[in-house]
Amino acid sequence: MALTTPNPMGPWKITVYDQENFQGKRMEFTASCQNIMECGADNIRSLKVECGAWVGYEHSSFSGQQFVLERGEYPRWESWSGSNAYHIERLMSFRPVCSANHKESKIVVFERENFIGKQWEMNDDYPSLQAMGWGNNEIGSMQVQSGAWVCYQFPGYRGYQYIMECDRHGGEYKHYREWGSHAQTFQVQSLRRIQQ
Amino acid sequence: MALTTPNPMGPWKITVYDQENFQGKRMEFTASCQNIMECGADNIRSLKVECGAWVGYEHSSFSGQQFVLERGEYPRWESWSGSNAYHIERLMSFRPVCSANHKESKIVVFERENFIGKQWEMNDDYPSLQAMGWGNNEIGSMQVQSGAWVCYQFPGYRGYQYIMECDRHGGEYKHYREWGSHAQTFQVQSLRRIQQ
């Protein structure tokens, strides 16, 4: 079959609903939303990503747990939340991942914070870092050289998600405190490119 | 850094615990376990995959929901379960995925059951089939030509998991009824190679 060519510069389109299974109040966005309550909804309970890659957040102003949202249908919170350590049934803000570029993504991961220790340059998806020879279940720091990546706490793309982009922080994430407001440890056991 | 070379023929090793966070009764396995209760545990609540790729099952005798288990640490059921449609806190049987071969995996997906309709040969991971041009949120049938794959109900490797192997069913999965006893629809929105 012929595949369409993803457009690395967007446009972006996401349709969100305030009830599960694409029911209730329906809203379309082509750019960031900092607080869904300002749009007259108390929460987002289902969504469809129609164009581009997005990241959703637990709280308003792009804070709290992060959820990568690639093209497709998300009928319930379980379809985007990778962690049930405590239940996240909130998705209050979201924005496009402008630098997502599935074909040309490169990241360098370091054993320790501040870009020291063993390092490994990656340009593919790794559902298990340890299976590929990484020595432990942590990454100390990362430099995103191109594209956008999502790191996960557990193997197989499970657990907390951390979105890493070449066009934020200059692509440099030198300590887990820079990974997001929900990051509490260096534990990362899988990571992959984000697909535009 | 130098990466170890994964051994596509095993050996396999998994350590399971009957309590969360690697506590309680500890058991090591290097081959399939059809019913953990026959080993004196009522359930598996945490595990470490030390070698090879495995698949865990909700019920004994390799039935019910499937969970791909690649090398790494799984401290709680949330770390392997991709679906909370109803809570799965059971992992009662497991076996190695002998055909997993991350470097040489090929699958052909078909628009409709029985290998008809549009088809697409894949040898890479796809967190969103629709982003890559697949027309809808379903796959009708699949032929695994090499390696082992895991298909997911939702984008980004979320939701129900279906393990597809070249050395089972002759690699042919012509209807969702052949994907596993938990499969109820053709819905598949992401799929990826399983890493040995």
Side-chain angles (χ1 to χ4, degrees):
Chain A
M1 72 182 267
L3 298 183
T4 60
T5 305
N7 177 350
M9 294 308 296
W12 293 273
K13 185 178 174 189
I14 188 169
T15 305
V16 303
Y17 304 80
D18 70 353
Q19 300 301 324
E20 293 190 342
N21 298 310
F22 319 115
Q23 304 295 311
K25 184 178 174 67
R26 174 185 186 279
M27 289 169 283
E28 287 185 7
F29 294 84
T30 57
S32 300
C33 172
Q34 186 170 330
N35 184 354
I36 196 66
M37 297 182 81
E38 292 173 356
C39 302
D42 68 333
N43 194 357
I44 296 170
R45 296 191 175 83
S46 57
L47 61 90
K48 296 179 183 180
V49 174
E50 290 167 60
C51 197
W54 299 72
V55 53
Y57 293 87
E58 175 185 3
H59 301 306
S60 59
S61 301
F62 317 116
S63 62
Q65 275 201 54
Q66 305 169 3
F67 312 111
V68 65
L69 301 170
E70 291 147 312
R71 188 168 163 181
E73 301 178 0
Y74 301 79
R76 292 180 305 279
W77 71 274
E78 304 98 277
S79 58
W80 61 71
S81 175
S83 171
N84 309 326
Y86 69 111
H87 278 232
I88 296 304
E89 303 199 29
R90 296 172 69 78
L91 198 159
M92 302 303 288
S93 57
F94 51 87
R95 62 173 178 82
V97 179
C98 300
S99 60
N101 183 343
H102 195 249
K103 291 220 178 332
E104 294 177 12
S105 298
K106 193 194 297 186
I107 189 170
V108 182
V109 300
F110 296 81
E111 184 182 18
R112 297 173 52 194
E113 58 196 84
N114 298 315
F115 315 121
I116 59 177
K118 278 190 306 191
Q119 59 179 279
W120 183 13
E121 180 179 300
M122 311 167 73
N123 56 12
D124 196 2
D125 301 347
Y126 292 96
S128 168
L129 289 174
Q130 291 180 70
M132 301 306 286
W134 190 247
N136 60 37
N137 63 7
E138 296 184 335
I139 290 178
S141 48
M142 308 180 220
Q143 286 173 343
V144 182
Q145 299 187 343
S146 57
W149 296 74
V150 53
C151 302
Y152 295 85
Q153 178 184 14
F154 299 126
Y157 311 124
R158 308 254 81 86
Y160 284 128
Q161 304 178 34
Y162 309 105
I163 312 299
M164 308 284 175
E165 299 155 274
C166 65
D167 60 354
R168 301 205 156 220
H169 306 272
E172 303 209 326
Y173 299 86
K174 66 179 187 301
H175 190 284
Y176 74 75
R177 285 187 298 266
E178 298 177 346
W179 300 356
S181 58
H182 64 307
Q184 293 155 6
T185 75
F186 288 106
Q187 187 177 41
V188 170
Q189 296 192 70
S190 52
L191 84 174
R192 65 176 183 86
R193 301 157 291 171
I194 294 177
Q195 186 170 8
Q196 184 65 286
Chain B
M1 70 182 269
L3 298 183
T4 60
T5 306
N7 177 351
M9 294 309 294
W12 294 274
K13 184 178 173 189
I14 187 169
T15 304
V16 303
Y17 304 80
D18 70 353
Q19 301 301 324
E20 293 189 342
N21 297 311
F22 319 115
Q23 303 296 312
K25 185 177 172 69
R26 174 184 185 281
M27 289 169 283
E28 288 185 6
F29 293 84
T30 56
S32 300
C33 171
Q34 185 170 332
N35 184 354
I36 196 65
M37 297 182 80
E38 293 172 356
C39 301
D42 67 331
N43 194 358
I44 296 170
R45 295 189 175 86
S46 57
L47 62 90
K48 296 180 183 180
V49 174
E50 291 166 61
C51 197
W54 298 72
V55 51
Y57 294 86
E58 173 186 4
H59 300 306
S60 59
S61 301
F62 317 116
S63 62
Q65 276 203 54
Q66 305 169 1
F67 312 111
V68 64
L69 301 170
E70 291 147 313
R71 187 169 164 182
E73 301 177 0
Y74 302 78
R76 293 180 304 279
W77 72 274
E78 305 98 280
S79 58
W80 60 72
S81 175
S83 171
N84 310 326
Y86 69 109
H87 278 234
I88 296 302
E89 303 199 28
R90 295 171 69 79
L91 198 160
M92 302 302 289
S93 57
F94 51 87
R95 62 173 178 82
V97 179
C98 301
S99 60
N101 182 344
H102 195 247
K103 292 220 178 335
E104 293 177 14
S105 298
K106 193 195 297 185
I107 189 170
V108 182
V109 300
F110 296 81
E111 182 181 20
R112 297 172 53 193
E113 58 197 84
N114 298 315
F115 316 120
I116 58 177
K118 277 189 306 191
Q119 60 179 275
W120 183 13
E121 180 179 300
M122 310 167 72
N123 57 12
D124 196 2
D125 301 347
Y126 292 97
S128 168
L129 289 174
Q130 290 181 72
M132 301 306 286
W134 190 248
N136 60 36
N137 63 6
E138 295 184 337
I139 289 177
S141 47
M142 309 181 222
Q143 286 173 340
V144 182
Q145 300 187 341
S146 57
W149 296 74
V150 52
C151 302
Y152 295 86
Q153 179 183 14
F154 300 125
Y157 311 123
R158 308 254 81 87
Y160 283 129
Q161 305 178 34
Y162 310 105
I163 313 299
M164 307 285 176
E165 298 155 273
C166 66
D167 59 354
R168 299 201 157 223
H169 306 272
E172 302 209 325
Y173 298 86
K174 67 180 189 300
H175 190 285
Y176 73 75
R177 286 187 297 268
E178 299 177 345
W179 300 356
S181 58
H182 63 307
Q184 294 156 6
T185 75
F186 288 106
Q187 187 176 39
V188 171
Q189 297 191 70
S190 51
L191 84 175
R192 64 175 182 86
R193 301 158 291 171
I194 294 176
Q195 186 170 5
Q196 185 65 283

